[in-house]
Amino acid sequence: MGVMHIPGHDKQKPREVTLEEIRGVMGDCRLCPLYETRTKIVFGVGNPRARVMFVGEAPGRNEDLQGEPFVGRAGENLNAILSLAGLKREDIYIANVLKCRPPGNRNPRPEEVLACSPFLREQIRSIWPDIIVTLGNPATHFVLKTEIGITKLRGRFHQMGHFVVMPTFHPAAALRNPAWQELLEADFRMLGDYLARHPEDGPVIPATAHSDALPRVEE
Ligand code: SF4
């Protein structure tokens, strides 16, 4: 598989705000009750000029303790399968929809997503990736604005305005389900193939409005 190191994606969109500025605005955020139980805010980590941005759901136990997303077993799984797409951790940026861990890893509540998601939106606007990989249902539902389940959405790319979105399983969930792990790995190979066929200095992918029909742009 061709192309692959993506050290610094040179994009045309002016960065209106830097990641540091967004983190500065977040400060010691208390916009939702999750501040009461968190150990550390998990803002996000990676290449601020990444061509591929990964979005997960919320910090888990290890992430909460270390203040970094995708550490522990889920992070190890992600690191391993990144190579299937020809990517390394330093090529990408990773953030979650929620920046603080829900107690006991319960699902995020709508009001928590509402409170926290402006930070993610600003991160996406700052990084302005070409491709957003959503990991698991909550991140996928947030980015694609749909309630359709991940098993129906994965395995293809979706156009969402400027962004090409690739929904796939969360690496932590895939560790508990070998069939999902196989599909996750297949999706990452598909991502690698897409990147090889769409070098960043190649033709611009036409952006089409996203709809409930979820237009298929790549197979
Ligand atoms: S989850 Fe987000 S909105 Fe809630 S306290 Fe943490 S940073 Fe603030």
Side-chain angles (χ1 to χ4, degrees):
M1 204 171 287
V3 180
M4 278 314 96
H5 186 53
I6 302 176
H9 177 37
D10 189 19
K11 292 155 286 187
Q12 292 177 346
K13 178 179 181 291
R15 268 161 210 80
E16 291 156 9
V17 61
T18 66
L19 293 169
E20 290 74 22
E21 286 167 335
I22 300 165
R23 183 63 187 90
V25 168
M26 182 182 283
D28 184 33
C29 181
R30 299 182 173 202
L31 286 175
C32 86
L34 291 180
Y35 84 89
E36 294 171 5
T37 49
R38 75 178 174 226
T39 307
K40 289 185 177 172
I41 288 178
V42 182
F43 178 69
V45 70
N47 188 338
R49 299 171 70 76
R51 190 180 177 203
V52 187
M53 178 171 178
F54 288 74
V55 177
E57 174 184 341
R61 184 170 165 275
N62 290 314
E63 288 80 11
D64 174 66
L65 292 172
Q66 296 183 37
E68 193 169 311
F70 286 89
V71 293
R73 290 189 66 220
E76 285 169 18
N77 193 21
L78 179 64
N79 291 346
I81 56 177
L82 273 177
S83 64
L84 298 175
L87 293 167
K88 296 192 286 290
R89 200 62 187 240
E90 57 265 34
D91 297 326
I92 64 166
Y93 192 89
I94 313 180
N96 288 309
V97 177
L98 287 190
K99 311 305 187 201
C100 302
R101 182 193 183 207
N105 289 354
R106 65 160 169 75
N107 288 333
R109 293 180 175 144
E111 62 272 23
E112 294 160 355
V113 173
L114 194 66
C116 204
S117 55
F119 297 122
L120 176 64
R121 265 194 217 100
E122 287 304 310
Q123 286 173 298
I124 293 172
R125 283 169 59 83
S126 177
I127 295 163
W128 205 246
D130 284 341
I131 301 165
I132 299 176
V133 178
T134 55
L135 302 168
N137 269 321
T140 300
H141 293 167
F142 174 75
V143 172
L144 283 182
K145 304 190 189 326
T146 178
E147 289 301 315
I148 298 172
I150 192 77
T151 52
K152 289 202 172 80
L153 295 171
R154 61 146 296 278
R156 57 197 168 105
F157 295 98
H158 307 263
Q159 191 83 36
M160 187 72 178
H162 163 83
F163 308 107
V164 170
V165 180
M166 188 188 91
T168 191
F169 293 105
H170 194 286
L175 283 173
R176 300 189 292 270
N177 185 326
W180 288 1
Q181 179 70 21
E182 271 185 36
L183 295 173
L184 177 66
E185 292 176 8
D187 289 345
F188 272 63
R189 284 190 207 95
M190 181 180 75
L191 174 63
D193 182 52
Y194 183 94
L195 290 168
R197 287 186 293 113
H198 297 83
E200 62 182 300
D201 54 356
V204 174
I205 304 158
T208 55
H210 185 262
S211 75
D212 290 338
L214 295 169
R216 173 180 286 197
V217 296
E218 281 292 327
E219 295 189 58

